[in-house]
């Protein structure tokens, strides 16, 4: 089973594709991770359309059954919060219209599921993503690692799924 994790953003939207073995749910491997970029010089509507097309392409290529998206809760910069929310909305629409189940997780839920506590910082999260998936090098840009963490959170939250960070589910 494939899961697409998304760390929404308009300039940089992180994505991570994980594959969970249906016979052994504890076997998970990272298949792809990266960032979809749009230019701030381009009109907003065009940027959102580009983002939607890229997400649709990922869904078409990897055929995830489920998509996990980090929910926007609070940002100091209102403009940044709006664009992140718009990017999240585009990701939800692209996933839903492709027939994928869509799940939203708060940043604290992602941190708790992956690192074992909701106050984990970026460095701790990156380390846990690398450790849990046996990845040698940090994923760059960091938005890719964040998206993989969202996908890991989703797999940890699913019924009869594996455990992360030593926590029983």
């Amino acid at each position: 089973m494939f899961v697409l994790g998304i760390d929404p953003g308009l300039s940089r939207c992180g994505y991570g594709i994980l594959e969970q073995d249906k016979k052994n749910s504890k076997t998970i491997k990272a298949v792809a991770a990266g960032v979809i970029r749009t230019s701030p010089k381009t009109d907003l509507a065009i940027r959102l359309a580009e983002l939607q097309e890229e997400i649709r392409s990922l869904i078409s290529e990897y055929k995830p059954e489920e998509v996990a998206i980090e929910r926007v809760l609070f940002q100091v910069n209102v403009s940044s919060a709006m664009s992140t929310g718009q990017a999240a909305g585009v990701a939800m629409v692209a996933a839903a219209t492709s027939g994928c189940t869509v799940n939203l997780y708060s940043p604290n839920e992602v941190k708790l599921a992956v690192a074992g506590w909701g106050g984990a910082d970026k460095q701790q999260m990156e380390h846990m993503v690398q450790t849990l998936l046996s990845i040698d090098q940090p994923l760059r840009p960091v938005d890719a690692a964040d998206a993989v963490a969202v996908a890991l959170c989703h797999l940890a939250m699913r019924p009869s799924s594996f455990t992360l960070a030593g926590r029983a589910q």
Side-chain angles (χ1 to χ4, degrees):
M1 177 184 84
F2 289 93
V3 172
L4 169 59
I6 296 178
D7 178 35
L10 188 54
S11 293
R12 289 185 331 264
C13 181
Y15 68 87
I17 310 280
L18 299 182
E19 181 180 16
Q20 182 178 41
D21 187 320
K22 286 188 178 187
K23 293 180 183 174
N24 179 5
S25 65
K26 292 184 181 188
T27 303
I28 297 174
K29 68 179 181 177
V31 176
V35 172
I36 300 166
R37 296 179 188 273
T38 66
S39 172
K41 296 177 183 177
T42 305
D43 182 66
L44 174 62
I46 300 299
R47 293 174 76 188
L48 292 170
E50 289 172 356
L51 181 59
Q52 182 180 38
E53 184 57 35
E54 290 294 328
I55 293 171
R56 282 185 179 166
S57 292
L58 287 169
I59 292 170
S60 177
E61 181 177 351
Y62 293 102
K63 302 189 182 357
E65 294 170 44
E66 300 174 0
V67 176
I69 302 170
E70 187 170 88
R71 191 172 3 155
V72 181
L73 290 182
F74 173 78
Q75 290 185 343
V76 175
N77 183 327
V78 174
S79 176
S80 177
M82 290 294 292
S83 65
T84 302
Q86 290 167 325
V90 163
M92 285 186 263
V93 169
T97 58
S98 296
C100 299
T101 302
V102 177
N103 299 274
L104 302 174
Y105 298 98
S106 72
N108 285 356
E109 287 174 312
V110 174
K111 291 173 184 181
L112 183 62
V114 176
W117 71 292
D121 63 27
K122 287 250 186 220
Q123 188 176 19
Q124 291 166 322
M125 291 297 291
E126 278 186 272
H127 176 73
M128 287 306 297
V129 165
Q130 283 182 255
T131 300
L132 291 167
L133 295 171
S134 301
I135 298 172
D136 295 335
Q137 298 293 320
L139 297 172
R140 292 291 179 252
V142 73
D143 307 89
D146 292 346
V148 170
V150 173
L152 281 168
C153 171
H154 176 67
L155 289 173
M157 301 292 235
R158 293 179 76 241
S160 71
S161 191
F162 75 108
T163 60
L164 290 176
R167 294 180 37 238
Q169 297 294 316

